[in-house]
Amino acid sequence: MGNQVVSSMKIETTWRISSNIPSASGSEEHSKFKIIKKHNKECQDSKLIEEVLVNHFFLQNLEKQARSEIVKEMTYIFIEKNKTLYKQNSIGNYFYILKDGSAEFSVSETNYKKTLKPGDSFGEIELLYSIPRCGTVKTLTDCFLWCIEKKNFN
């Protein structure tokens, strides 16, 4: 989840930016949302995306050029109200930044719930460590998000 605190842990990330178009192959997540725009070559919403990246606990040390490349690789998507974007224990394929709307992140074993709001990011831990989704994300309203596919995230 974005804005998490990690104590006594240093996380190093290597970004490999690909010019490939995000694919839907084998992605249950992909079937949950509608792609509005693939790639962000015009750097739409770059201020929002860069602010999230700069303030993120493991992305904050990226150089400006790397952040700019990430902004260009983001895909703009829409998901309707009351839809499950992904379920706990499913395989993750995307890192998300919420632009508009609200969603709920929940963990079933602990009954933990957090309302996600514009500017929040989520989904990166599962992509970094190739583990199943740690929780479920369900939209509370119609949502517009920016996302980047795992193959572009690594």
Side-chain angles (χ1 to χ4, degrees):
M1 300 287 300
N3 304 326
Q4 288 183 351
V5 177
V6 175
S7 61
S8 304
M9 183 188 317
K10 182 178 178 183
I11 298 175
E12 295 182 19
T13 306
T14 303
W15 284 83
R16 177 182 47 83
I17 303 300
S18 168
S19 61
N20 295 333
I21 295 174
S23 69
S25 59
S27 172
E28 182 179 317
E29 266 175 70
H30 185 273
S31 67
K32 307 290 183 176
F33 58 77
K34 176 185 175 190
I35 293 176
I36 296 172
K37 180 180 181 185
K38 290 182 182 179
H39 298 301
N40 190 19
K41 300 299 182 192
E42 297 82 25
C43 297
Q44 184 180 351
D45 291 323
S46 62
K47 184 177 178 180
L48 166 73
I49 297 167
E50 285 199 38
E51 184 176 318
V52 169
L53 298 177
V54 164
N55 291 312
H56 198 284
F57 73 95
F58 76 87
L59 301 172
Q60 60 192 354
N61 294 323
L62 288 175
E63 294 180 14
K64 186 169 179 57
Q65 178 62 34
R67 288 193 310 270
S68 295
E69 290 299 316
I70 292 166
V71 169
K72 291 176 185 175
E73 289 297 321
M74 300 293 282
T75 296
Y76 193 49
I77 63 171
F78 170 78
I79 183 168
E80 295 176 354
K81 176 182 178 177
N82 295 323
K83 298 289 183 183
T84 300
L85 179 57
Y86 61 74
K87 292 181 180 180
Q88 187 171 339
N89 297 318
S90 64
I91 302 301
N93 292 308
Y94 297 89
F95 164 65
Y96 299 93
I97 297 173
L98 184 59
K99 178 187 175 187
D100 288 312
S102 63
E104 181 180 78
F105 173 81
S106 62
V107 180
S108 62
E109 294 87 17
T110 63
N111 293 322
Y112 174 82
K113 292 183 180 184
K114 178 184 178 182
T115 300
L116 302 170
K117 60 189 183 323
D120 284 341
S121 61
F122 54 96
E124 70 283 355
I125 298 299
E126 297 86 352
L127 301 187
L128 282 172
Y129 298 107
S130 296
I131 60 173
R133 292 293 191 191
C134 296
T136 297
V137 173
K138 182 177 179 180
T139 57
L140 301 174
T141 65
D142 287 349
C143 291
F144 291 89
L145 305 98
W146 287 100
C147 68
I148 188 165
E149 193 173 15
K150 181 177 182 172
K151 68 181 178 183
N152 298 330
F153 189 83
N154 291 330

